[in-house]
Structure formats: C-alpha cells, structure tokens
Amino acid sequence: MASSAAPRASLKERLEKAGIDEKFHTVFVELTNNSADFLADVTAEDLVTCSSSDGVQIAMPVARGLVRKLKETSVEKEDQPDVASGLASTASTKTPIAAPKASKAVVATHKVRPLQANPSKGECALSLTQGTVPDAADADTTLVRCAVRGVCADTKGRQKLLLLLLDRSGSLAGSLWRRVVDAVASVVTDNLLSDPMIKIIFVVYSDQAREVTLPESTSTLREMLLSREYSPQGGTCFKAAFEAGAAAVVRELNVLSRRGVETSEVDIATLLFTDGEDTSVKSHNRRHDVQLVDREASKMAARTSGDVFRKRLQDTGCTSYVCIAAFGSDHDPDQCQYLSDRYCYINRGEVLADALAGGLGALLSSAGQCKVGVKLPTGISLEEPLPETLPLDSAGCLDHHIWLRLDKKHTASGWLDVSVSVGGAVVLKGSLDVASSIDIVAPSSFESQLFLIDLVALRLRRVARLLTGRGRVAPEELADLRERLTNAKDHLQPTRDAAFSVSSGVSGRAALRARLAEVEAARLRLSYALGQFDENDVNDTRTIGSVAIDAILRDAGQHLPQGPATASLVRRTDAAGALPTPETLSKYGAGYTTDAYSCCDAFELATQGDALFYQLDKVQIAPNGGFLSVEDSDGLIAHEAFVLLSKDGSQAVQAIGREDGFTHLGLPLYATEGHFLRAALLLPETLRRLSPGNVYAPGVSERQLLSLLGRSLMRSGPLTEGFCEALLHKARSVRAVLAGCASGASNEDGTAATLLDAVGIEARRFLTEESLRAQAPDLFAIAAAGLVLDDMDEAALKHLSDLVVRESLRRRVAHALRSAGDAEKLCLAVSLLGPYVPEADYVKAGSKAILPAAGAGELSFDKGAINPFAAPRELEGWEAESPTKTSPRPAGMSAILSLLSAKHNDNNLQPKDWVLLKQRLSSWGSLLTSVGGASNLFRQLDSAMLSDGTDEEAQAVVASTLNALRSEGSDSATCCIESACGSVQDVSETVVSVCLPTLPSSQTPRSFVASTLKALVEKRRKLVCQYPITGASMPSLPNHSGESVAEIWGAPANPTDPTLHKKAMLRVWRRTMKVRISMTMKEALADKEYRKRGGTFAFPSPLDTFIRGLHRRTMDLHSDWEVRLRKDTSGEAAKAEAVEEMLLRLRWDDSDNVARSKLKLLVGRIWDGLEGVDLSCKKPLSSALWLDENDEIPAAASARSAAAAAAAA
C-alpha cells in the first residue's frame, strides 16, 4: 500500500482496482469531477439518482455494493501517522513497530485478520489490534488489545465437585435465612442431585461447621434447612468452614479415585456465602459480661485458614476455584477478596436469592478454571495485572483479552508468548511475532467497535481501583471522576446507535449490544458508588455504608472474561468475518432478496455477516418434534433486524404489507453459497427457538426445517407466483441444510452420511415398508422429503402423497379413539361392516360432503342404530350373504364424517391438507420431470440468483420454473372424502383397522367382531351380576380403580353440549358461592340445571352403563332433606319423589326408556338402604342399565326384539 506521500492512482485505475463495472465509470466521472480524490465522498444516495451507460437507473442495493467495493480498496488519508505505513509493511519486512503518535488517530491500512472463531483443542488463537482512541492526546493511544481464545478442557466425562459453604450465624436469622434457603433450593434441583457427574458437598457453619447429608429431593432439603436443627445461631468461623469443606473434598476424591477417576478429570468449585466478618478469636476484654471479638486476630486466622484451604485444593491436582458471595454491611471486602478467586457483593436482600442462584449456576455451568501466563517481548508491558484464575465456559472454552502497552521510548519487537494452564498443567500455547501481527482496525469495523467498548471497560476498572479502600474523595477529584464516567457513556454512544439500528450495516451488532450491556452495567454500578462519596448529592438519598461501597468497587475493578453469551456472539462474528466474500447477485436475485426492514439485499447482508430468513407466526412446537401449529409466510427479514425489532424474540414484529405480525424466524434463504454460509452460522440460534424445550440439538433440530417445509407445501391458498417462488427457495435451502449436516451414520461406501441421506432412506422405507409408516414421527417432514430428494419422480411423489394421506387418516382415527373403550370401538366397527350395498345414496352424499361437515359433532351413534346384543347374529348373516364385501351403515357414515371433521391439536395433517398435498406434490413431480430432477432444478435457481449470466436469462429461467409448477395446480381445492381420501371404502377399511388392532389374518373383520362382541357382552353380564346394587353401600371391588370400574361398567355418560353444560355449571357455582355444600352436591345441581336448559347426556356405546356419583349423590339428597329441609324421607311417596329428583341429577341417557325403568329400581333400592329398610330378603339388582332383572338377559335386546315382533305383526 502506498504511503501518504506517494502519488494517488488515476480515477480509472481506482475503479478497475475496486472491480467496478465499466458501465458505471461515467457516473463516477460526473460525481467526482473526474478526480479520484473525491471518490471517498460518493454515497449510495448519490448513485441512486444516476443511470449507468446502458440507461438503467441504479437501484439502492447496487449503489451500496459499489460504495462498499470502493471502501474495501480505499487508500490512506494524507494525515495518517507514520506508524500506519510501518504496520502495513511489516508482513514482508519484519520492521520493528514504533508506538503510534499520540496526536493522531489511527486509521485502517489493511484488512484485519479475524481471530480464529473455533480453534481446535490444544490450539491457542491470538490477535493483536489497535483502534481509534476517543481522546487523541490520551496515553491510551499506545494500548494494544490482545485477544486470547482456545479450548482448554474436554467437558465430556469430567466430574465436578461443588462445595457449598453456607453461613448460618445468628445475624442471618429470620427472613434472610429463608431467602438463602430458597436460593439454594432453586439451583440444587432434583436433576442436579441425581446427576452422577456432579457431587454436591453442603457445609453449614457458624462457630462450628457441619456437613449436611443431602436428601434425594429439593423439597426435603428445603424443609431440612428451615428446621430448628439448622436454624442460624452463633458467630462466624471461616477456619471451621474451610477445614470441614477440605476434609469432605478429600473424602470424595478418594471415592472417585477408587472408581478410576483421575484428579485431572475433576473440577472443584467452592462457593462460600457470608454476611459478616470472622469472629472466631475472642479478646480478653468483656462488655456486659460478654467476651469481645479480637478483630485483627480473627482476620489473620481467617486468612491463614484460607491459605491452607486453597493450598490443599491445589495439592489435589484438580482445577479449583473459590467464589465468595457476601451480603450486608458487616463483612470485610478486603478479606473476602483475599480469600477468593472471585468476590461478588449482594447489595440488596430482595435479590439475594437471584444472586446466589446465579453464582451457583455459573459454577455449575463452568467447565473449570484456568490460569493465563504471558511472556512479553521488549517494548511491551502489561497494562493491568492478570487475574489469578479465569473461568471456562460450559464447553471448556476461554475467551479473554489482555491489555498491553507499547513503550514510547522503545520499538516493540520479538515474540509474545501466551500459555494457559489447567490444574497446573499447560494445555494451550500461542505465540505471535509482534512486529508483524498488530492490526490497525478501521474506525467503523466490528473490531474497532469492540476495541472501543473494551477500552472504556478498562477505564471504568481504573476508576474502580482508584476509589477502592478510600474513605473520602476531594470535590475536585470527584468532579473529574464524574466527568470520566460521563465521557465513557458519550464515547460509546455512536457504537450504541449503530448496534441498535436496523439499517446501520455494522457487522456483529448482537455481540456489540451484549458487550455494551455488560459495560453499561459496570458504569452504572460505579456511578452509584461514586454518588456515595458526594455529600452534596441530593438526587440520591440512599446510603449503603462504606463497606458496601468498597465491595462494589472491588467487584467492579476485577477484569473478568466477557459473559458466555457475549463470547459466543463474538465468535460467531469472527467466523462470519473469516468466510469468503459473497457472490454478487443478479438483478432478479437482488430484487427478490431485498429486505424491507434493513433495506439490504442478500449480498449486502452477507457482507455484514447477516442472512435472510422467512417469517413465522403462531408457532406451537410439538413435544417430540414437529409443530402443533405454525403459520408460514413468504416474507423475508434479516436475522439481525428480527432480533432488534422483536427484542430478541420477546415480542411480535409487524409484517410489511399485512395487518398481522410474526414472532419467529423460519426457513433460511439460500440465495447464494456465500449468503448460505452466513445463514448456517445463525441457524443454531434460530433452530433453538423452534426446538422442543428451547434446546438446539445438532442433527435433530435441523429436521424441524423439513417439517416447516411440509407445512409450507400445504399452506392454504391458491398457487400464486409468490407462493411458488417462495416454495422453490425454501426447498433449496432445506436441501442445503440437510446436505451440510452430518447424521452420525455411514453410507454403504463408508463415507459419512448426511442428514439428506438419512431423510432419503426414511422416505424410501416409508414407500416400501408398511409396518414402518406408523413409526414416522412427522408426516409433514415425510411429505417435504419429496421436494428435496433426487430420486423422486412424478409417479413416486403421487404414491408418496397417497401413503401420507392414508397414514394421516389412521393417526387421526387413533387419536380420536385414544380414550375409547373396547365397547365403543366394537360398535364403531359394527357400523362400518354393514351389508354390501353398492352405490348407496347416503354413501354418495357422504363422500361429497364438504369437510368439516356441517353439524358433525362428537363421535356417537343414533339411538337404536347399533344394537351390540343383536349385532353378532347380524354380522354373521351379512358375512354369509356377501363375504369380505362391506359397506358402512348410515350410523357408520355419520361416524366417518365426525372423525374427519373433529378438531385435533396434534402434529398431524388435517383433511384439507390431504387435498393440497396431492395437488401440489403432483405439480412438483411434473416440474421435476420437465427439468430432469431436483438437482437440475436447484442448479437453475442458483444460476438465476447470480450475476454471471444476463438478468433476462435469469428471469426467464425463474418464470419458466414457476409456470411449470403452477400448471398442474388448482386455485381452489374442495375438501371432501372423495378428493382427500379417494373413496369411502378406503376410509372405512382404515377406521376398522384401528378399531381391530388384534385382528388375526385367519378371520374376517365381521367374524372377529361378532365373536369378540359376544365375549364382551357375556363378560360384562357376569361382572355386573357379581357386583350388584344391594342397598346404600357401593359395590365392594377388590381393587377400586378407574381401570377396574371401566372393565365392569364401561364409560360414563357425557354432556352432548359441553358449552351449555359449562354455562349451567357456572350458573350453579355462582348461586352456591356462599353456601356450604359439598362439591358432589354442586356437580349434581349443575347436571340438573343442564337438563333444565335442554341438555342431554349420552353413553359412548350401549354397553356403557357407569352412572357417575350414583350412591354419593343419592346420599347427598337424603342428607339434605333430613338436615337442611327437615323433610320426611320415609314412605313410598317420598321415595318416588326422591327417585324422580335423582333422575334429573344423574348423568344418563334419558331417551332410553329401558334404562329409565332400571335406574328407578336402582335409585329406589339405594334410598331404601338409606332409610334403614330391611333388604335381606330382597334380590340384589344387577348394576347395569341394559340387563333385565327377570331373566338376566340384556334388557335392551329384549325390548328391541319385542318392538321388532310388533312391527312384523
């Protein structure tokens, strides 16, 4: 690169060097007056007002791209300091580096080498950067930021010992102790207690220390700590706590050693909580006959015991870390900081639980501790001391930075060596030749913004250290410190504006926002502490005492690594910066991918490390994968824009061009390979929000995209151009994601299988192996597989759609019958196995009925339509007349319409989806046939997105593809059985297969149902006779449970109008709100009110006869008459009145006269028992409404037989 004194290149050479197309040269000649010196002043807004030499007006995305190319090849400014040119040439000349001139701002001279985002295990990645310092005359212009990154520990298989030392001295008595216990219980969960890789050692201490034996559950631990046995009392003795804790640690290490666990595989984390100083050493002085504490001797005893404790932990060979969390104004901040690696102060009792929980959570999530060592070359010194230890994140990674200072009097030369040790062993080493490795970052780059934020954080730490331990601050110094805090905020304001702008174009805005939040929190803490020194401050009257102030300052003065979330975002930004430059888009590509929120196209976003995603709304994730519901869209939005506008997914974003909004990001846009590489970096975070439990699982969560693609395929609405275009791009991106994700298996040739290979195998097995179709977790994903696989032709896709519809129907029926009993399933099968009647009118009408069918309610049978007692004989007769040929009866046709019209909130296709699936997979199959397969289809789409060919060719390719896709589709799809399932007979066979899962191959469905129904009727008859109604007492079952009750009496009757029943229940609840009556009485009155409003009840099948609350509700009525109403309950008249009242309060089908007669007998017998009538000579009544008491044959069967005989006569 030329120095500042070198002659500048001509305008034409500059434009050619930047890669500017020749048709734009005339535009730049006009805007710059043919002078290269004014190129830096050209903006995108200037370019959009001009036209290229071919007469085409320049679009905004093109204008931004041209300006970006110019900036990437920009030369130095004339005022650039001498150090810039020296740094630019060090890569080849190895010239020693002089310190930057303090009077000049540093300007970028070359592209910054990004820090390696994901170094391999054992590799230490280093980078040295200098950036613009806000105050040009400040000594900080000689600072260099050294970033250190590496994977220090393998977190898999590591054992963790968590030593929790809890102060229970007398000062913690009362509500404070309860808060501490709640904090412990919130973190020490049941899962944590049962985790074999984590051992918790719990010690409570006051004057003496005592180890707590941990129970199996958190609730028991909480009750134990709140008991009198562990109530706070006494003083504080750190020596007792440290000795008891060390002994317990050694014991547990011996246990692990006997199990074969090496000490190098164990991490020891200690959290000590205290609210006061050590009071273990008493003086000779007394006050009020109480021996006083020798504070200095106690302090020395605590420090000595702390040194011994830490030495014992180090001698174990394990990585160790000590954190002290202190609360209240009685503790000693200096002592706490001396005894710990990390000291944190909890300033308010209200946040005590949260702070303790956060401290414990951080220790548990950390993979251990490490120590950083630095060997400095000549001319460089450390700006601040290195921490004793640094925490690793949950993956064992270290992300930290060190501030170095260049000596103004000496040139920096030599090698910078950094080592990272864990448990005393060096695990990472890294070296840099300082002369060739310091990068000068551009003022507007991500690296520059991060440099500035960390520099401000350094300055805040300086303020904290300056104030630590001081009792008073002079007014002049106080004013200076306030100005420094104000300047810190002002210096970061431009960065904050850029980070919180949707259209700023700055890379890594999410990382900058996270880091800004950390620094702003530190600034606010310092501002609060500083206010405590100002006696004239009337704005804040809160006082926290000198101890609390000192604690806050010591905490703020510690240089800790950035938070795990921030570090992850920085690594993601660095990874995006290391990717190849994205490809230039065609006119079609730029137009389709322009984001209306950020006003950038896919190329511009990719250069920022951002990517485009489709929008989603009303997302409900299924527990086992897939979605219960989701609304897909064709709209695009940049990932960074969504995060900003939705406040990191916490609120909906208003959609452009639509009244509604969206809450999630969905499928990524492929666009180009360069754009997709950026999308792949953002995909884990996007998939986390779309995965069960909000947890991203590599190789598993990616399947959610396949499910989304299936739902997009079956989205309601016509096949518009926009829909087809979006579907094409979505299929392309899903194929790319699956092809780039390892499945963990191997192909037949030994190569590593991708998720696309696994999906192909699953789809082919779904087509060929019927027994495996029920195991497919998500039918939407199976359907979507047809869009991305190469070996799917038109015939295969038609077959796939038919099988998906059939399996979806089977699952729908199984879901509807999931709680149905055997009797209900057999009755349903009887209704579908009627006599063979080809072309029946009710079947024709049902097959063409629009779904969901009007008036179709819950699955039930018309009164008298199905007689389970006569059905076996009927089935045998029909089988003799037309073997293997069946037709649904009218009741069966109604049942089919009910099954297909019911609303189910599950991960299954709806009947309307079946029609769309068949039509659109057929259209896709025709498209694949015309272009020669999926690979050719996506290759054409990729070509159309790039600027290699002409824009006319790209648009022609896309237009022809969309026309082919729409040619076979229909703008409207009528959903009925005929269009969705093919025929009523196919549906009937599927339903029967669900009702009869154990049907043997040697029997026909009719004969199997006939024999099974006979056996069930006989079994129920014997059981209801075995457990009859004898009086006021309920039948005594050996094992009274829901299963045994259902086996004897079947299912209870349910309201036919649940909405009306709920209104009746609310009415009764309001009327009896202040009346002291039992819950069973309220339920009985609610059922009576429901009948009064015209409601009815129905049993699922004629064999079901369970009367809910038969005995208890009758007892309630009898007691109410006797106690409250003081009404006579004896005599036949009273019994008859009570029976009629109970018929209104019980749930049964009051349209069945046979059941009415039998129920009257049962209620009358119970009433007699309550009245004390001698029933010993009375015959027990069978406990079934359908069983005749005279000859013990089904009463319903005899009644229907009599009716049939009368009709015949």
Side-chain angles (χ1 to χ4, degrees), residues 363-374:
L363 290 177
L364 290 172
S365 62
S366 172
Q369 301 294 313
C370 67
K371 185 172 183 179
V372 177
V374 179

Side-chain angles (χ1 to χ4, degrees), residues 861-864 1053-1054 1056 1091 1096-1099 1101-1102 1104 1107 1143 1146-1156 1159 1185:
F861 302 101
D862 293 336
K863 312 289 191 299
N1054 294 311
T1056 57
R1091 288 189 187 276
T1096 59
F1097 296 92
F1099 288 103
S1101 77
D1104 294 312
I1107 306 293
L1143 292 184
L1146 294 173
R1147 295 187 176 189
W1148 62 287
D1149 186 357
D1150 56 5
S1151 65
D1152 190 339
N1153 292 326
V1154 175
R1156 180 185 295 275
L1159 186 56
L1185 299 183

Side-chain angles (χ1 to χ4, degrees), residues 166 199 288 804 904 991 1088 1178:
L166 209 59
K199 175 64 179 178
H288 304 298
V804 169
H904 293 163
V991 176
K1088 179 181 178 181
K1178 295 283 187 178

Side-chain angles (χ1 to χ4, degrees), residues 265-315:
E265 300 173 353
V266 181
D267 301 319
I268 304 175
T270 302
L271 175 63
L272 183 146
F273 172 78
T274 183
D275 74 329
E277 295 180 305
D278 190 294
T279 60
S280 60
V281 182
K282 303 297 189 288
S283 70
H284 298 293
N285 300 324
R286 306 178 72 87
R287 179 180 298 171
H288 304 298
D289 204 28
V290 176
Q291 197 172 8
L292 299 181
V293 174
D294 189 334
R295 297 185 62 183
E296 287 301 321
S298 297
K299 182 175 181 179
M300 292 306 300
R303 291 198 173 198
T304 302
S305 61
D307 292 338
V308 173
F309 173 71
R310 298 184 71 174
K311 182 65 168 57
R312 292 186 67 179
L313 293 184
Q314 293 171 4
D315 291 343

Side-chain angles (χ1 to χ4, degrees), residues 154-176:
D154 187 357
T155 57
K156 295 182 179 179
R158 293 190 64 83
Q159 189 79 36
K160 186 180 292 294
L161 290 182
L162 174 60
L163 174 58
L164 182 58
L165 305 175
L166 209 59
D167 186 353
R168 68 177 187 105
S169 57
S171 57
L172 280 166
S175 60
L176 192 56

Side-chain angles (χ1 to χ4, degrees), residues 248-279:
V249 167
V250 172
R251 182 195 67 221
E252 293 300 329
L253 288 177
N254 291 333
V255 173
L256 293 174
S257 177
R258 288 193 292 271
R259 287 167 39 190
V261 179
E262 299 290 338
T263 55
S264 59
E265 300 173 353
V266 181
D267 301 319
I268 304 175
T270 302
L271 175 63
L272 183 146
F273 172 78
T274 183
D275 74 329
E277 295 180 305
D278 190 294
T279 60

